[in-house]
Amino acid sequence: MLKKEVMKLDFKFIKSQIAKIVGEKYVSDDPKDLTVYSRDYSSMPPQVANLVAAPGCTEEVAAIMRIANRNGINVTVRGGATTAHLCTAKEGIILDLNRMNKIIQIDADNCLYLTAQGGTPIYTITQELDKMGFELAGRPMFGPVASIGAWVNTVGIGSNCTKYGYFSESVTGVEAVLPTGEIVRTGVNSLINCDPIARYTHASDLTGIFVGSRGSMGVITEVSCRIFPKPKYEDFVTLAYTDENINDMVKACNLIFREEIADNIDINDDGVAAMVGLEIPFPHLISMTIRGNSEEEVKRKVEACIAVGEKTGGANLGPMMGQLVTWGGALNAYIYKQYGAGHLVFIDSYWHSLEAYPGLYHNFKDSLNSRGLTKNGIFGWFMKGVGCSFPIIAYREPDETDAMNEAWKEISDNWFAIKNSAPGMSVPSATAYNLDPLKPAYYNLLRNIKNAVDPKNIMNSKIIPFAGRDE
């Protein structure tokens, strides 16, 4: 088995080989460094790898992958560590991409796209684009800490998805290092004379192999994506609903979608409001970002949102809530630390029908509150036809760890038994929730692709098992 082979390796020798590539400063087997890399946002217990390496360019990544592939060493890619148990490992190499944080090109005059290294924080990109009057197709769910490569790896959901859809839909191509060490470019950039200006060519869409792959198909070292002119004017509206008319809230969202009023609809509750210091006598909130190219346009859209609220029994709470939750979960994490909670967990239904939301909401509240985990809230986004919801829970370690993990599993079991509720990345077991529900033909095709690009199954192998099912 691969695990036994890895345990026999001389990692001191592997470390010396990698040091020749990245420099002594950027590879470590120090127990203190490995401990830092043993956790992420989730409540899962620490996993300590053998080495951590921080390459600074694509060529260094490729050289490390050739060593790993030659020796059958597991490699786990790490960006902002905002995923659940996807960027930690109990063996092998943690590949930290945070040094690869440069914006390579912004074409704001011709083809309207940018290219950035995979470890570049979304916040850095957003700041730079803002100076030029442009924006990405959204902001990530975990706030400023998320990197653009990791965002592609996890499909890309966040603010402004009501207008633009998933971030991955605006990706024009990636540069990726395959587990064998080969460097590949996708989209029209795969052609000799083309920059990454468009995703689709006469050939199959290979960008899609890496989108949502959770680091299992290769290392995304560059991302190219479309950029959009940023509207000049902005305002916010929050509508609040009682638990009795939660279905009316869903109806309000559909009405707003139909009229294309809001660029973004954040779905929140009074728990999230409490995190940002607001006491609101309503359990359900939709906070909308309203934008346009004139004050009159924005005013008209705001009035339309308020009218929808009045029609569906929603109370208008004004702009403050929307302003406070603009950057998503990172703000919640900060507030929880202020409250003195030990750790934070995100659970996600990455895609669900809007009609599924009331059942999802009540299930997560019941599971948590029955275990005394009352510091919780729900955060997510609604777009045309589908929603993406993230319960957020703060708990203290070690006193509440067992209760947290029990609730996490119960919520996941119940959520994904609901029709049209699909699991995302923050689940107790990637196998049980992401793979077991797949139809056999799809799973076999996916595994065959994995076998082709990663014949030794060294890349984040807990996501797509090489042979049979994981433990």
Side-chain angles (χ1 to χ4, degrees):
M1 295 292 290
L2 181 59
K3 180 178 178 181
K4 292 180 181 178
E5 293 173 0
V6 169
M7 297 304 290
K8 293 178 182 178
L9 284 170
D10 180 358
F11 275 95
K12 291 293 183 185
F13 175 68
I14 299 297
K15 178 188 172 185
S16 69
Q17 286 186 302
I18 294 176
K20 293 176 183 177
I21 299 165
V22 300
E24 294 281 351
K25 182 179 178 181
Y26 296 113
V27 59
S28 177
D29 58 1
D30 187 310
K32 288 188 243 181
D33 292 331
L34 297 178
T35 298
V36 169
Y37 286 86
S38 69
R39 294 293 301 269
D40 57 14
Y41 260 70
S42 79
S43 61
M44 301 298 280
Q47 296 191 111
V48 180
N50 300 96
L51 291 174
V52 58
C57 64
T58 298
E59 290 71 24
E60 290 181 359
V61 172
I64 293 171
M65 292 309 303
R66 285 193 290 271
I67 290 173
N69 188 62
R70 186 164 58 245
N71 292 280
I73 301 172
N74 289 345
V75 177
T76 303
V77 183
R78 187 179 179 102
T82 57
T83 54
H85 224 38
L86 296 184
C87 55
T88 65
K90 56 189 174 184
E91 61 188 26
I93 300 169
I94 300 292
L95 203 64
D96 181 353
L97 294 190
N98 282 287
R99 285 181 63 212
M100 297 180 63
N101 58 6
K102 298 177 181 63
I103 299 173
I104 297 170
Q105 180 179 7
I106 298 177
D107 180 352
D109 298 317
N110 186 19
C111 294
L112 300 185
Y113 77 97
L114 70 77
T115 300
Q117 289 182 303
T120 309
I122 298 294
Y123 188 60
T124 301
I125 297 170
T126 299
Q127 284 184 310
E128 196 61 33
L129 287 176
D130 191 57
K131 298 174 188 174
M132 306 169 69
F134 285 86
E135 65 181 2
L136 296 175
R139 293 183 296 270
M141 66 191 82
F142 293 111
V145 70
S147 64
I148 193 167
W151 210 19
V152 173
N153 261 316
T154 54
V155 178
I157 187 71
S159 294
N160 294 340
C161 63
T162 303
K163 178 177 181 179
Y164 295 117
Y166 295 106
F167 170 72
S168 56
E169 295 173 18
S170 74
V171 171
T172 57
V174 300
E175 176 192 77
V177 177
L178 299 182
T180 53
E182 298 168 275
I183 300 171
V184 63
R185 290 179 176 271
T186 68
V188 298
N189 197 212
S190 61
L191 299 170
I192 294 172
N193 66 335
C194 288
D195 294 326
I197 59 173
R199 176 166 172 171
Y200 302 107
T201 69
H202 60 283
S204 297
D205 172 31
L206 296 186
T207 303
I209 291 177
F210 302 98
V211 172
S213 66
R214 273 75 164 170
S216 64
M217 295 293 187
V219 185
I220 296 177
T221 50
E222 289 182 14
V223 175
S224 298
C225 64
R226 194 70 59 215
I227 60 175
F228 302 89
K230 185 175 181 180
K232 295 181 173 63
Y233 298 92
E234 183 178 72
D235 204 348
F236 301 90
V237 177
T238 294
L239 300 177
Y241 292 82
T242 65
D243 200 48
E244 288 72 23
N245 66 347
I246 185 173
N247 290 314
D248 292 321
M249 181 185 73
V250 173
K251 180 181 177 182
C253 291
N254 277 318
L255 290 172
I256 291 165
F257 296 147
R258 190 177 304 166
E259 299 299 325
E260 297 188 341
I261 301 170
D263 281 16
N264 190 64
I265 297 180
D266 291 288
I267 183 75
N268 306 298
D269 70 348
D270 52 354
V272 173
M275 295 174 211
V276 294
L278 299 177
E279 290 195 18
I280 295 176
F282 296 91
H284 305 291
L285 309 169
I286 49 174
S287 299
M288 289 159 285
T289 306
I290 313 297
R291 302 191 302 170
N293 289 315
S294 70
E295 291 180 346
E296 292 75 17
E297 180 187 358
V298 171
K299 182 180 178 182
R300 176 181 57 79
K301 289 180 176 180
V302 167
E303 291 172 350
C305 282
I306 294 171
V308 168
E310 292 172 351
K311 183 177 180 179
T312 55
N316 175 23
L317 301 185
M320 183 179 294
M321 187 69 186
Q323 292 170 329
L324 289 172
V325 299
T326 297
W327 270 102
L331 175 63
N332 301 332
Y334 170 76
I335 297 296
Y336 271 137
K337 293 299 181 183
Q338 295 296 95
Y339 284 174
H343 212 62
L344 188 71
V345 168
F346 291 84
I347 306 169
D348 60 335
S349 173
Y350 231 34
W351 303 271
H352 61 77
S353 66
L354 300 191
E355 290 74 15
Y357 178 78
L360 299 175
Y361 176 83
H362 290 124
N363 175 265
F364 114 83
K365 281 290 186 181
D366 292 345
S367 294
L368 293 170
N369 293 339
S370 67
R371 291 174 170 83
L373 299 167
T374 56
K375 287 185 178 179
N376 63 69
I378 196 162
F379 197 95
W381 295 270
F382 279 3
M383 59 201 95
K384 293 178 182 177
V386 294
C388 179
S389 297
F390 295 82
I392 309 160
I393 309 101
Y395 68 97
R396 287 183 173 80
E397 295 183 343
D399 297 347
E400 296 177 321
T401 302
D402 289 344
M404 179 62 252
N405 284 325
E406 288 174 9
W408 190 11
K409 185 177 186 306
E410 181 177 270
I411 293 168
S412 296
D413 287 342
N414 291 335
W415 270 31
F416 307 127
I418 295 174
K419 185 174 176 59
N420 292 327
S421 175
M425 57 190 172
S426 300
V427 289
S429 165
T431 298
Y433 299 98
N434 293 115
L435 293 182
D436 285 348
L438 291 176
K439 295 176 181 178
Y442 186 93
Y443 173 78
N444 289 331
L445 176 60
L446 189 64
R447 194 171 72 179
N448 287 337
I449 294 171
K450 168 71 168 174
N451 291 349
V453 300
D454 186 7
K456 293 188 178 180
N457 195 36
I458 64 171
M459 287 295 303
N460 212 340
S461 56
K462 56 181 170 285
I463 303 305
I464 301 177
F466 179 65
R469 299 297 191 182
D470 272 351
E471 297 176 2

